[in-house]
Amino acid sequence: MDAAEKNFAALGFAGASMKAIARDAEVAQGLLHYHFHTKVELYQGVIARRSAAINEARFARLEQVDMQAPDAVEKVFEAFLAPPFDTGGVDTGYPQMLARLVVGDDLDQQLVRDNYDACAEKFIDALAQLLPDIERYQIAHSYTTAIGAMISAFSNTKRAESLANLPNEQHETSDETVLRLVRFCAAGTRAF
């Protein structure tokens, strides 16, 4: 699964091959086909595994949010945005894979629905509870905008640093990136 995740992240679904994944995993290609039958099933398995871990972390963080606190909106966005950035110090490439999923083809869109919609509903519900004067439609837009901002942060192109004329070696930590995204998303949502 780790080898598959790295290959799908680097090359996309179309570019990754079962042969290369088997080679990187140091297993016979037949073993991949035995357990997953097709590349689609392996791809689905990789997404299901990683999304389950991310969603579990999101739900745990959301449970800890004090919904009466003045910064509850920020804390809800933090609970949503932080887990995908927390890779435990291991570069899995999943953020790039997640970016492709969000803007991908029919298979990717179905995988997003299957693996992330229940989580999305829970976070939209939390924001709707905190901001009862804002229409659910607007909150759903804020949610999808937060995803877009997160995906942009994953891109790692250093575009913002270039536009700000910062030196190449200057960059944010993932905690700083999450804090910037949280502030942006909370302020934008409240502006409705």
Side-chain angles (χ1 to χ4, degrees):
M1 295 288 272
D2 291 341
E5 186 171 315
K6 287 179 182 176
N7 274 266
F8 288 133
L11 303 169
F13 175 76
S17 72
M18 294 291 267
K19 182 177 181 178
I21 292 167
R23 182 194 65 234
D24 292 350
E26 300 178 1
V27 299
Q29 187 174 342
L31 190 60
L32 286 182
H33 289 287
Y34 175 78
H35 287 288
F36 297 100
H37 302 103
T38 67
K39 187 167 79 166
V40 169
E41 287 184 28
L42 178 57
Y43 187 61
Q44 291 168 326
V46 168
I47 301 302
R49 177 182 77 147
R50 185 64 65 190
S51 65
I54 289 171
N55 290 341
E56 183 180 323
R58 284 174 167 166
F59 292 148
R61 285 174 173 258
L62 186 59
E63 288 288 321
Q64 299 301 313
V65 174
D66 176 357
M67 299 297 274
Q68 305 303 315
D71 65 345
V73 171
E74 284 80 3
K75 293 298 183 187
V76 168
F77 275 113
E78 183 179 345
F80 174 72
L81 293 165
F85 285 92
D86 183 12
T87 62
V90 177
D91 181 17
T92 65
Y94 191 75
Q96 290 75 25
M97 206 170 158
L98 185 57
R100 283 193 183 101
L101 276 176
V102 170
V103 297
D105 62 12
D106 291 341
L107 172 61
D108 290 331
Q109 293 303 304
Q110 187 61 50
L111 287 168
V112 168
R113 285 189 294 275
D114 292 347
N115 293 284
Y116 289 105
D117 275 9
C119 181
E121 291 290 333
K122 193 162 189 168
F123 277 86
I124 291 168
D125 288 346
L127 290 168
Q129 176 186 340
L130 291 168
L131 301 164
D133 294 335
I134 299 175
E135 293 177 34
R136 185 175 180 85
Y137 176 74
Q138 299 296 354
I139 290 175
H141 266 292
S142 290
Y143 173 86
T144 59
T145 300
I147 291 171
M150 179 180 66
I151 297 306
S152 176
F154 285 156
S155 72
N156 222 3
T157 62
K158 307 285 188 228
R159 178 83 172 128
E161 289 83 352
S162 173
L163 291 170
N165 297 315
L166 294 175
N168 284 339
E169 65 276 356
Q170 186 172 348
H171 63 280
E172 294 179 316
T173 66
S174 59
D175 288 343
E176 291 168 333
T177 299
V178 169
L179 180 59
R180 178 175 48 80
L181 292 173
V182 164
R183 289 177 178 159
F184 174 80
C185 295
T189 303
R190 284 191 178 104
F192 283 114

